């Protein structure tokens, strides 16, 4: 079993930046895919970005060029650097880990973009 703990959410003005962290309870090198998802009020959860164990990344079109996903194996942590934030980025952001046939989720962290 993998436990995931997110941090770094908060309130930021449009155009600002935040960095989210997702700390895993096990070596992330043993996890095939790690990702960030978000869910805004009244909307379905959507993929934001993923990173595979080899380092290849994938982004939703809505965040390409603004968000960057990265990983630090020494800290068993995955990051989501979010720049040029927009009000429509407001959502609960959750970290996921896909290992074997299982998918694990963190509790989520709120990101609010508002002036």
């Amino acid at each position: 079993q993998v436990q995931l703990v997110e941090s770094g959410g908060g309130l930021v003005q449009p155009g600002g930046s935040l960095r989210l962290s997702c700390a895993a309870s096990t070596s992330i090198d043993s996890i095939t895919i790690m990702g960030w998802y978000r869910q805004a009020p009244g909307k379905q959860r959507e993929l934001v970005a993923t990173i595979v164990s080899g380092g290849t990344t994938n982004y939703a079109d809505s965040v390409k060029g603004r968000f960057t996903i990265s990983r630090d194996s020494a800290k068993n942590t995955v990051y989501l650097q979010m720049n040029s934030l927009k009000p429509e980025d407001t959502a609960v952001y959750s970290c996921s880990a896909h290992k074997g046939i299982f998918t694990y989720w963190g509790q989520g962290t709120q990101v609010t973009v508002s002036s």
Side-chain angles (χ1 to χ4, degrees), residues 39-59:
Q39 187 167 20
K43 294 187 177 181
Q44 289 188 332
R45 184 168 58 196
E46 63 174 353
L47 171 69
V48 176
T50 60
I51 185 166
V52 300
S53 55
T56 301
T57 58
N58 181 56
Y59 297 93

Side-chain angles (χ1 to χ4, degrees), residues 28-82:
I28 62 173
D29 290 338
S30 68
I31 299 172
T32 306
I33 302 173
M34 294 199 70
W36 287 96
Y37 291 74
R38 67 186 181 187
Q39 187 167 20
K43 294 187 177 181
Q44 289 188 332
R45 184 168 58 196
E46 63 174 353
L47 171 69
V48 176
T50 60
I51 185 166
V52 300
S53 55
T56 301
T57 58
N58 181 56
Y59 297 93
D61 288 342
S62 59
V63 306
K64 281 182 181 177
R66 300 188 298 124
F67 291 11
T68 302
I69 188 170
S70 62
R71 52 190 284 152
D72 185 337
S73 296
K75 297 182 178 180
N76 292 326
T77 300
V78 172
Y79 302 98
L80 185 68
Q81 178 67 44
M82 306 186 294

Side-chain angles (χ1 to χ4, degrees), residues 71-106:
R71 52 190 284 152
D72 185 337
S73 296
K75 297 182 178 180
N76 292 326
T77 300
V78 172
Y79 302 98
L80 185 68
Q81 178 67 44
M82 306 186 294
N83 299 327
S84 302
L85 282 161
K86 304 175 181 180
E88 51 264 43
D89 294 318
T90 295
V92 174
Y93 285 70
S94 298
C95 177
S96 71
H98 306 277
K99 183 175 182 179
I101 62 171
F102 300 105
T103 298
Y104 304 93
W105 294 93

